[in-house]
Each structure stands twice: as C-alpha cells, then as structure tokens.
Amino acid sequence: MALVAALEADLRALSAEARRRYPAVKDGAEHAILKLTLSVICSCLSASSSSSASDLSSNDDILRIFLMACGVRNTKLSVIGLACLQKLISHDAVEPSSLKEILTTLKDHSEMAEEIIQLKTLQTILIIFQSRLHPETEDNMVLALSICLRLLDNNRLPSVYNTAAATFRQAVALVFDQVVAAESLPMPKFSSSSQTARTGSVTGDLSQNINNSGPLEKDVISGRLTMRDILSETGKLGLRLLEDLTASAAGGSAAWLHVTSLPRTFSLELIEFVLSNYISVFKILRPYEQVLRHQICSLLMTSLRTSSELEGEMVEPYIRRLVLRSVAHIIRLYSSSLITECEVFLSMLVKATFLDLPLWHRILVLEILRGFCVEARTLQILFQNFDTHPKNTNVVESMVKALARVVSSIQFQETSEESLAAVAGMFSSKAKGIEWILDNDASSAAVLVASEAHAITLAIEGLLGVVFTVATLTDEAVDTGELESPRYELHPSSDNCTGKTSRLCISMIESLWLTILDAFSLILSRSQDEAIVLEILKGYQAFTQACGVLHAVEPLNSFLASLCKFTIVLPTDAERKSSIVQSPVSKRSEVQVEQKDVIVLTPKNVQALRTLFNIAHRLHNVLGASWVLVLETLAALDRAIHSPHATTQEVATAVPKLTREPSRQYADFSILSSLNSQLFESSALMHVSAVKSLLSALYMLSHQSMTETSDSVSSASSKKIGSISFSVDRMISILVNNLHRVEPLWDQVVSHFLELAVHSNPNLRTMALDALDQSICAVLGSEQFGEDPPRSRDTTLDVESKSTELKSVECVVLSSLRGLYFSAQKADVRVGSLKILLRVLERCGEKLYYSWPGILEMLRSVADASEKDVATLGFQSLRVIMSDGLPTLPKTVFMCIDVTGAYSAQKTDLNISLTAIGLLWTLTDFIAKGLHHGCQVEKGSGFSNVDTSPHQTNGEGVEEHVVSNSNKPDFEARTQIVNHEKLLFLVFSLIQKLVDDDRPEVRNSAVRTFFQILGSHGNKLSKSMWEDCLWNYIFPMLDSASHKAATSSKDEWQGKEIGTRGGKAVHMLIHHSRNTAQKQWDETFVLVLGGIARLFRSYFPLLESLPNFWSGWESLLAFVKNSIFNGSKEVSLAAINCLQTAVVSHWNLQLRYLNSVMDVYELVFQKSSSYTGDTATKVKQEILHGLGELYVQSLKMFDDKMYMQLLGIVDLAVKQAIISSENFETEFGHVPPVLRHALEILPSLGPPDHLSSMWLILLREFLDYLPGLLLLCQMRKVRLSKAPQVTVQVSSEVSEHKADVLSDKTIPTTRITSNMFAEKLIPALVELLLQAPAVEKYILFPEIIQNLRRCMMTRRDNPDGSLWKVAAEGFNRLLVEDVKICSAGGDTDLKISKTARMRIWKEIGDVYEIFLVGYCGRALSSNSLPAAALKANETLEMALLDGLGDVLERLVLTLDRCASRTCSLPIETVELMPAHCSRFSLTCLQKLFSLSSFETENRHSTRAEVSRISITTLMERCEFILSRFLIDENNLGKRPIPNARLEEIIFTLQELDRLTIHPESASVLQLRPSLKTILQEDNRDSRAHLLVLFPSLCEIVLSREMPVRELVQVLLRAVATELGLKKVSLSS
C-alpha cells in the first residue's frame, strides 16, 4: 500500500504539472490514477492486504504514463518520471520486456544538459543493474554501460563525472558478480592485501595475511577445481567487458562498448579491481585466463617499461602505482599459473630497486616487495615456483638481496645518522599505530631524508617478513607433524625434516640466512631506538628458533653468536686506558672508579638478553653444542648482576654515587636474574640428551676457566672463578630440577665437582664441597625417596624396576661422597666430605635404605682417625643415624653397633666416647622393639615365653629371610626380621669391654647404660636371655669391679697440667673423693651395685624364678658382706641398698630371702666391736631404715621368731649407739643418727594381728629406754609378777630367742638416762599404745602412765627441761583419746578386770595429784624464763586440766545416768524395782550434789572447776525429778505415791537446801543477766541454783505430801532470802 500511495501521489503531481502545456500527459496521469484505484479496489475485494508488484507490472498503463512524461523532455516532468521509474524497478514492478524501452528513454535523457537529469539517469542505471532487470543480452548490456561511459566522457560537471565513474565501477562489479553466479564459481572473494589495514608490526601483518588466505587457492593448487573453456552468455559478456577495459588501458578504443577512448587510470583501476576480487574467474575459466596472460600481462609489462610521456608528469606516479599494484596482484594471486610472466615481473621489480629511478618509484617497488615478504603464503608459493625449481630464477633470494642492499646503503649515505633517526621514528610511530604516507614532492631536504628512511624501513620490514614467514612455515610443519616440537621431551632427531614444508623451510634458510644476518646485525649495531631494536630482535628470535627446529646448525650458531655480541659489552684494556687519559683533571678516587670494570647495560643489551633467553627456552632440546655460546653470555651476565660496578644506561653518567636512582637498575637486574634462573629450571622439560648437552657446555665453560685459574687473586682470576661459580650453580640448578631422572645426569655433574674438590685453589675446593652438599641433599630429599613408592614418569615400570632404580640412584649418589673422603689428600676436603655426610643424614637420613653399608664403613674408618675434627664430625653423623635413621637400616644394625662401639672405645675425645655409649642405649631401644614384636609377654611374670632355640650363625647369620611386601612403604614391609637377641648381646659385649676401660668416665657411663638397658627392656627378655645376662655379664661385671676396687692403687693422682707458674707446673685440682684409682673403681663398683638394685626392684620375681638364681643370690650376699666390712662407705651403702631393694620392692618373695637379709643385718650389729667408725654408723643407719621398710612391706610374712629377731636388731642398734655416742647430745645438741633412725622406724613396728602378743614385748622394750629410778632387772621382776594378769603369753621359743639376742656382754645393764632420746621416744610410744589392741593396751596402761608420771616428775629437778612437758602432753593425749572411752563402759569394760581398772584410775589420780597439786606443781624455774616460755608452761597445765575436765564431764554424765534409774521409770513399775537399785540411784544423785557443792574452806581451783562442770547436769536432773513427781502425783489421784519416788523427792529437796555453789558455777546457770549481776554485787550467788528451780518449786508447793510441802516452803524462804525479801514490820 505504501508503493501505491507513493505512485498515486507522484501521478497527481505529474497531472498537476502537465495540466496546461501537456494535456495528453495530464489525461494519461488521471487515467493511470483510475487504473491504480481500480487495482486497489480489486485487491480489497480479493482480501489482499496490499497491491502486489506483480499486479503493477501487469498493468502497462502506469509504466507508459511515466515514459510519456520522460519523453516530453521537460525537466520537472522528467524528474518525476525517472523517480517513479526507479520506484517501480526497485520493487520489481516492471516486466523485463520493457528494459529496452527504458534504456532508450535513459539514453535520450543522458543527452540532456541538466545536471539533475543526468544524475537521475545514472541512479536509474545502477538500480537496473541491481534489480531483476539486469541486462542479460549484449545489446542491453552495451546500451546500459555506454550510457555511463557517455556521461563519463562528455561531461564537465564534477558531480556527474564522479557519479558516472562510480556507477560504472559498480556496474562492472555487478557484471562480474553475475558471471560468478552464472558459472557457479566459488563465491568467497579474495581481499587484496594492499587494501587491508596495516598493523603496527610486521608480525601483525603476517598473521593478518595468513588469516585472510581462503580455501580457493588451496583447491586450485591441489587440482580439485579444473579449468573450463565454455562460457555462459553472462560469462561472455564479462569477457567482452574485460577485453574492452584492457584495450582502453593500453590506449586503444573499447569496440564492444562503442567507446573510442577511456581514461587510462580509470581502466587500470577497474582491471586491478577485477584481478584482486574475482580470482576464481581467472583460475577456473580458461578464456579469462588467456586474456590475463596475453593481454593484461602484456599491458602491464609495457606499462612498466614505458616512460611517463602519455598523460603528463603529474599523472605518472599514480599510473605507476596502479601498474605496480596490478603486477603485485598477478604475482600474489596467479603466480602458480603464470610462471614466466611472474618471473619477468619479479625480475623487473628487483631491478628497479637499484636503478637510477625516482625515489618515490623505488619506494613503490619496495612496498610491493615488502608486501610479498610479509605474506607467508605468497612467499611460500614464490619460493616453491621459482627458487626450488632449477630452471627458474631464484626470485626470492634476489628479493632478499635487493632488500638487504637497500638496508646496507645506509652506511654509505651522507645523511646516515639522520636516516637512522628517521627509521627509528617510523618504527616508533608504527608501534603506536601511526602510518606514514609518501609525499611525492621530494624537493625538501627533510622530505628527502624521510623518503630514504621510508625506503629503508620498507626493506627492513621486508626482511623481517621473510624471517617471520620462515618461522611461520616452520610452526606449520611442527603442527602438521612434519617436525618435532622442540618443547616436547622427546629425543631430538636431525633426520626428520622429510616433509614438504620442512624441506622448503630448510631451503629458504640455506639460501637466505647469510644475507638476512648481515642486514640485521648492521641495523642492530647502528640503532638504539627501542621500537626498531625490538623488531630486529624479534627477527633474530624467530629465525634462530626456526633454525633450531630445522636443525640448521651453521645458521643457528651464526645468529646466536651475532645476538650474543649485542648482549653484554665488556670494556677492553685499551678502553679503560683511554678513559683514564681523557680525564686528567679528575680526582684520584674517580680515576680509581674508572679503572674498574664498569659494565653498562643499555636497553638494547637488556632486550638482546631477553631475546637470548627466549631462544634458549624455545630451543633447549635442540641447541646441543650451541649451548656454549649462550652460556658464555649468561656467565658474563651473572658476573654483571653480582658486580658492584655494573649499571644500566640511565645511571651510567658521571654523577655522584649518592644521587643516582638505583631502582630501575635493580629492576632490570632482578628481571634478568629471574630469567637466568628460569632458563635452567626449565631443564626439567628437556630431553635427557639435551640436558647432557647443556651440562657438557657448562663443563666446557668451567674447565676452560679452571685451567686458567691459579692461586692468585688477580682480577682475571676472579673472573674465571666467577665463570666456574656460574657453571657450578647452574649444574646444581639443573640437577635440582631433574630429580625425577637424576641417574643419567649424576656422573656428569659430580665428576666435575670432584675434579674441583682436588684443585689447588682453596676457593674452588670450598665451592665444590658446597655444590656436592647441595646436590646430594637435593637428590636424596626428592619425592622418589619418600615413604611412598617411588614415582616414575614411565607408568609401565613395575615395582621391582622402581626399587632397582632407587637402589642404583642412592648408591651412586653416596658413593661419590665416600670416594671423595678416601681419595682426598687434604684435611679440609675430608672434613668437608664429613660435613656433607652430616647434613645429608640430618635432612634425608630417614629416606636412605640401600647405602647404609657404605656410610657405616666410612664412619668406621673415621673413628680411628687421629684428627679431633674428623672424629667429631664422624660421630655427629653417627648420632644423627641413631636419632633418626635406625628404622631404615635393619640389615646393617650389626655394622651400626660395631661403629658405635668403635667410637666408644676411641681415645681421641672423651666426650665422644661418653656420648657413643649413650647411643648404644638408643640402639637397644630399637632392638627391643623387635623383641617386643616377636615375644608374647606373660602377664604378671615379667618375662616373655619365646622359642629360645639357637638361630643360624653362619655368614652374617643374623637375618632370617622373609618375603617383603612391596605394596607397603612402611618399615615392616621393606625390612627383614633380624635376630634381635644376638644384636642385644652384641651390645652387651661391647659394654662389658668398656666396663674395664682405664677411663673412669667411660666405664661408669658403660655401667649406667648397661643397667638402664636391662631396666627399660627387661620385660621383653626371655628366661634364657636373663640367665645369659646374669652369668655372662652381671656377675662377671660385679666380680671385676670388686676385684679392681680392692686391688687398685691408693696413691693420689695429679690433675692434668694446665700451665706453669714460677717455673713449676700447675695441675688441675681433683676432688678428694676421686684422687686415687681405688676411689674411682669404688665409684664404678657402686654403680654396678646400684644397677643390680634397680634390676631387683623391677624384675626380682622374674629373677627369683630362674633355676640357679639362689646360688647367685648367695654370691651376692657374700659380695655384700665383704663390701660392708671391707669396702668404703659408698660401697657399703650401695651393698646395703642392693639387698634392701630386692626384698622391699616385692611383697610376695620367698621367706628365705627375707631371712638371709635379716641375718646379714644382724651380723653387722653382732660384730659391732670390730666394726666401728663413720662408715659403720652410716651402714647401721641404712640398716635400720631398711628394716623399717622391710617390716612394713612383709609384715604378714613375719612370725614370732622373725619379729623377735627384728626387735633384737633394733635393741642392739639402740644400745650400741648409746654406748658409742655418750657425749653426742651434749656436743651437737640433738639425737645421734642411729637413735634417730630407730625413732623413725618405731611407729611402723607395730605387730600385725597374728602377732598381737608382741605388743607387750615391743612397748616394754622401748619403755626400758625411758629415764627412771630403778634398775632394769627390777623392772623385769615387776613385769614377771604381773604376768598372770596378761591373757596372752609369749612362747618359750620367743623368750629364748630374746634372751639370746640380749645376752651380748656389750649391752648396758642400767637404764638409759638420755632425756633427749626420751623426749623423742615418748610421742612414738603413745602413738603405738593407741594403735595396740584393747587387751594389750589396758594391760600396759598402768605401766605407760607410771613411766609418764616419772618423766613428768622431772619437772621438780629440771623445770626448764622439755622431758616433763613431752610426758605431760603424752599423758593428756592418752587420757583424752583413750581413757575417756574406756570409762564410758561398753564392750571394752568386759575385757578389763576390776583390778586393772582400779590400777588405771589410781595411776591417773597419782599423776594429777603429784603434777597439779603436789610438789611438782609448785616447781620453780632455775632461772627466769621468758614470757613466751612461761605462757607455754601455763598453756600446758591448762591443757592437762582440760583433759581432766573432759574426764570429769564423762564421769558426771555417768553419775547422771545412774541417778536417773528411779525417776525415769513409769509409775507403775517403780514399785517393782529392787531396793538396792533405789539406794544406788540415790547414792549417785548424792555424788552429783557432792561434786557440785563448794565449801568455803576448800577453795582450790580444781574444786571450782569440778563444780562448774557438774552443776548444769545436776540442775537438769533436779528439775526433771520435781516435774516428774508432780505429774505422777496428779496421775495417781488419791492413790499413794511409791516410797521410792517419795524418798527420791524428799532427798532431792533436802540436798538442794544444803547445797552451796561456787560463784563461777553460778555464772553458768540459766538466769537472766540482770539477776546474775544483782546476785554477784550482793555476794548472794552461793544459792543461785534455787532461783533456777523456783518455777518448779512454786508448782510443787501444792503437793499432797506434807514432808514435801514443808521442804518446799524452806526452799522458798531461802529464795526470798537470796533476793533480799525478808519479812519486815510495818512500823519499821
């Protein structure tokens, strides 16, 4: 509908315009409007949404009216008509049959002079070519094109001319598009490289041209698309058009187009357009190809040779450019089919570079050549078609030489520096994306320099393009599989360049490399700008990498050598001298700085180094011998990085050092150093052969410097050492990064280290040792030596091969160290090798397995070395093995034990021997683990039940074969079972030899270690092993130590000489306890006995179960007896401790062991007459202490005889101690040691339950030691007279034994008078008595109290003494803790006779009477005591009185309970009670009144205290009796009260009336405080008890019984009297 509306509007406009002058047109327009309206109505009726173009095309009237409007040749009407024609044609609303008439109309309009009509005509022509009306017949085509050409040729209006040219170009393109469609040719077009945008670098142009290459060229080359001779009608039209264009370009006429001439440049542009965009037309259609070969090529050849006289000088450059571009298209796109023509073209282009042509012409040619070079595919085709063909010219080589000639011309130009600067500027601009445009006006000098620089820039870019093309084609060969990538870890092969592309690349390199290298080196040497330097270095890198991949050795080495020249420039001697001469006025310090080797790294040097690193990274697998060139440069770089005089260009000027900014310099050096390190770290990605080549190159570099290095320290020697250091460091780096395949590389690396280690230069030796250390630790610290199974890169290897590989690597690595030690002649090398071994063991010892025999052999030889440093280092390694490496050397434990023994026995260093003995203990810990795993420990026995059958002993004889489990990486899976028993005995044998060592420190340490081993692991030994230990090691060791201690010299030793003074030697002081050989052997003997004691403590039950242990025990007893009587104090005490430990540590021993020990103890005291002195005293103390422990541990095993023997020993000890130390207390002020020990064990000597009768003997034995007035025999008679009262009797056997023990004549027959001993003895006796059984306790009570009374009586003679105080405290404790319980009655009363109880209370009464009341209580001090002492004595008396109070309180409570028998019974049962019970109750009540009363004539404080205690109880009892009587009387009513109850109430009232109490007693009564105060003020408190009972008396006054009422009245009057309420008369 939009088209119809637009047409309707145009028709109405047309009708309006033609209304006056052209009525026919007006009528036709109106008729057309009606037709158009009718067409719309029909479309609506047919349900069509709009009028279709087909309906309009079928209606011829609409087209006719527009043609009629155009035919009147009126401008306005023609414009409207042409516009409507364009709309109809663009909407396909015109039938093709009308094309001829339309073209005729357009031809007529083309002759009109109006510009708008001509432009509308051209627009219509273009629309026709773009629509379905496209001319398909020759006449229509010629007519349409001729209209455009006529307007182009005869028009002077620029707009029309340009529009006509553009329309014709588009028409030509549309024609050839129709040809492609009609001939079914491939549709994709090839875009011209000249028309693509240039990038900022040659590599960008190259990649862009590679990406723009389509598949058509490959299809044509491969033959998949064949040439065709027959053309369609459309194809023929295109061919005619092409021929006319060619003819017009040659200056002829276009016959087919009926045009006499066309602009030559216009024709050349069209030909170039067709050649570059419709390649398939010329490659597939043979007629077109013939036109190209015979007409176009001839035209271009002629144009290249023709001078510029045809169209004037101004047009010539443009024509040349068009011709050259067309030639370039032909060479680029059709060289495969036009061999001869392209060869001619290329020869002409190359020749043009050095002919005397205008500069702009040469620049155009260079641009073309540059385009060929940067197009990899074009250059490849050209080289294939020409250079590789023997009959053709080497056009690519000629091009490259021509470009190189242009580059080299810069050194012959007068303005070379300006040109170089301009070239650098161009490269910098291109790097920033700015393109240079050639200006044809070359008159200016600046433009001339720029043009020359432009030419050189194009030549350089062309050479770079060739280089990058070679690199690109090489990469393609790698991608397609023709070549192996240098990055793959595959074996590089030089015979694999068999592919087509690879052969082509090799040919290109062989023919071009020398030319390119000369040009590049020239430019790089003359240029400093970063952009051009980067581009040239990229070319170096690309070409060198291609040479490496293709194994072109000579070009590779040449390019590397050239590149290395630009990396680091070291100043020569001449330069250094000249620098000094040029600065004669500088200061001396500055001259000295100049004399040093100042290395300046320019940005070009830095970039060259980076390029070198990139090349080395890329070609690491293929460099081979070329590594030497690279490494020499890297060594120089390493020296520069570590040199203090190296700098970058920014700080190279002579400015003060402090003002320089070092950040940039350090940044560059840091980056270069990182790249240097990364290069060698990447060796892990290299093939083994490549790594070997690299190592060989490093060796060559180092060896060359090593032969020139001497012991001097000159500058040259320092440089050589620096090169050696570089080589060594890089070898280490390579080794560290190739740990997964170290075996094939190890020998090559280490052989050089070993060579350096024996060099005469000490610095090199140190360097070699450090390198060997790092290498070994790196290899052994790698993952393949971890706990997990070794990791191999070849996953097909089985476990066995992996183990073999590990074994080989480990042995090879450590064998180098071993060989270095044994072959070294210099001591520092041997020391260094041992340091390496030490560090290896510290870091990687747990990972070693196969190399232990060699290591231990090496350490064994070190043990015999005379140098202290060597022995120390070897032993440090052994310590590391013992600490961390034992689990990895089960097969070599015997060797390890032997080595440790060798270090223990060496004489070089005492500390080493001592520490080595400690390592033997570590070894046994490891061995014991095997015993633990292999033995089943029997519970409670302490030993293991194992098969003790002998093991094989042939050969090594210590290993049992077991199949290892390779799937388990742990200790058990990869070790073999070892005879751990033999290992243990081997250690014991070594220790036994060390026990006889002359050095006391060594043998003592050996003894300690031996017994510590047995003490720690004895529970893992079998019975047979224990027997071997006893009879082969322990007892022989004991015998040897005892013999040496007895036979050694007693002469004093002099210490080690430490200097001189006054001409005399000065010796180190030795302590008196170790200044003789005998004393030192005594110390060893003590250690042996102590070790045996520790064994007894832990394993005596186990040892006791051995068959022949009793004989060994008897031997030990003999040693002990001999040691006690003949040995030193330390030996004697150790012997005692040995026995004591055996019997004390275990409670279930056999009785004979206890008896034997007690016999030894008894023997010591029986021989007291001959065994005296300080040693004997100390021994006796230990025996007493041991007896106490022995008895506590085994008291259940004691019988009467053993207990009596125990008491006899203690009795002997006490009496002998008193005899031998009579003045001890006087001299020293304390108890002698033996007596003190007797006191310490006394509390633990209480007899057990089955020996309760021994309590009497024990306590009476110690009571004899208290001071007294009677003789001992008299005391015994007293005890015998009292014996019938004892219910338990001592057997006759015990009495006889006691008599035997006490029959010694040395025992005193008098009582001991030592108060100090008695003071300590009394508390122990009291404690024992409290622990004794009830029967024995109360038998002894009177004796104990009697003896305490005697001790307390010493207060009279010695009131300042402490004995009476201790006795008083003991008496008080007995009374408080036990007597009050006894007085309370109970079961105990039944076991004690009345006589015994009476005696107890009699003794207690005597004590209180004598001590508190008698003369002892009034004892005065011999001198005035301080206040604190007096206070203490008073406190003691009060405590005793408190004890008495406790007793009294218990007695009062007892009396109260007895007095309550009558009143507590119910009234119904009182009459049933016997008369004597009533009397007993009244008597007890009378005793309570007696205790509570206080007579004025008896004012003793004790009486007042008793009254105070009993008054409260009495008052409670009286109140209960009164209240009970009143209740019973009320309950009985008129019945009489029982006589017992009446007697009780009357007695109570009478006693209350007679009772008088102490004032202190009144204070405890329950009275109001105010009442108490009144009574005390008036002294009326003696009968205050009546006030307490006043309420009860008031109630009972109403009793029916007259006696009771009378007595109550008496008491009430007494109360009134106490209160001051006497009756008074009213008058008064």
Side-chain angles (χ1 to χ4, degrees), residues 302-313:
T302 304
S303 300
L304 285 176
R305 295 191 184 96
T306 302
S307 300
S308 57
E309 67 274 2
L310 293 178
E311 298 186 19
E313 193 68 28

Side-chain angles (χ1 to χ4, degrees), residues 190-196 209 212 272 276-277 329 332 375:
F190 279 69
S191 62
S192 174
S193 63
S194 62
Q195 296 174 354
T196 58
N209 286 301
N212 288 335
E272 181 200 358
S276 62
N277 289 283
H329 288 315
R332 184 181 297 109
E375 296 175 7

Side-chain angles (χ1 to χ4, degrees), residues 504-788:
L504 176 67
C505 294
I506 292 176
S507 300
M508 294 180 72
I509 289 175
E510 290 176 351
S511 61
L512 305 177
W513 72 269
L514 189 57
T515 305
I516 296 174
L517 179 60
D518 292 340
F520 279 3
S521 61
L522 174 63
I523 294 298
L524 197 57
S525 63
R526 300 288 298 274
S527 302
Q528 298 296 332
D529 185 75
E530 183 178 6
I532 188 172
V533 169
L534 284 177
E535 289 295 330
I536 297 299
L537 290 177
K538 288 180 182 177
Y540 264 95
Q541 179 178 338
F543 200 83
T544 306
Q545 290 177 356
C547 294
V549 174
L550 296 167
H551 306 286
V553 179
E554 184 179 1
L556 173 64
N557 291 339
S558 300
F559 267 79
L560 281 177
S562 176
L563 179 61
C564 292
K565 293 178 182 178
F566 299 105
T567 53
I568 296 180
V569 180
L570 298 176
T572 61
D573 294 337
E575 293 174 349
R576 288 195 292 271
K577 291 179 180 178
S578 63
S579 65
I580 299 174
V581 173
Q582 291 174 3
S583 57
V585 296
S586 61
K587 296 181 180 180
R588 183 177 181 181
S589 60
E590 296 177 355
V591 174
Q592 292 177 352
V593 173
E594 293 293 338
Q595 289 177 350
K596 297 178 180 178
D597 294 339
V598 178
I599 303 173
V600 180
L601 292 183
T602 64
K604 180 169 67 176
N605 299 142
V606 175
Q607 295 299 334
L609 284 169
R610 291 189 175 187
T611 303
L612 184 63
F613 284 124
N614 294 338
I615 293 172
H617 274 292
R618 172 77 178 180
L619 301 180
H620 51 210
N621 275 336
V622 296
L623 280 179
S626 304
W627 273 112
V628 177
L629 298 172
V630 179
L631 293 176
E632 288 177 352
T633 303
L634 297 184
L637 172 62
D638 188 71
R639 291 197 302 273
I641 291 174
H642 296 90
S643 172
H645 309 294
T647 181
T648 56
Q649 192 176 38
E650 287 75 10
V651 293
T653 58
V655 297
K657 183 177 181 181
L658 295 177
T659 62
R660 300 179 182 180
E661 178 60 42
S663 58
R664 174 68 182 273
Q665 167 192 350
Y666 294 153
D668 290 338
F669 284 161
S670 176
I671 294 173
L672 293 175
S673 177
S674 177
L675 293 174
N676 197 357
S677 301
Q678 290 174 7
L679 174 62
F680 295 93
E681 291 172 1
S682 65
S683 62
L685 305 176
M686 298 166 60
H687 190 268
V688 175
S689 60
V691 179
K692 289 183 176 180
S693 300
L694 178 57
L695 291 173
S696 298
L698 287 169
Y699 172 76
M700 291 175 60
L701 177 63
S702 177
H703 186 73
Q704 181 181 359
S705 302
M706 190 172 64
T707 55
E708 302 173 3
T709 303
S710 62
D711 293 333
S712 64
V713 291
S714 62
S715 176
S717 178
S718 299
K719 291 182 179 179
K720 298 302 180 183
I721 292 178
S723 298
I724 297 173
S725 175
F726 170 80
S727 301
V728 170
D729 291 341
R730 296 309 178 266
M731 284 184 174
I732 296 173
S733 178
I734 293 171
L735 198 67
V736 169
N737 289 281
N738 290 271
L739 296 176
H740 56 282
R741 50 178 183 181
V742 70
E743 186 175 8
L745 309 176
W746 178 257
D747 291 337
Q748 190 174 1
V749 174
V750 174
S751 60
H752 182 54
F753 294 166
L754 297 179
E755 184 179 357
L756 288 173
V758 297
H759 197 271
S760 58
N761 192 313
N763 295 329
L764 295 185
R765 293 200 300 271
T766 303
M767 183 191 306
L769 291 173
D770 292 340
L772 191 62
D773 180 15
Q774 296 179 38
S775 302
I776 294 176
C777 290
V779 173
L780 297 180
S782 59
E783 292 183 358
Q784 59 180 330
F785 288 95
E787 295 182 356
D788 297 332

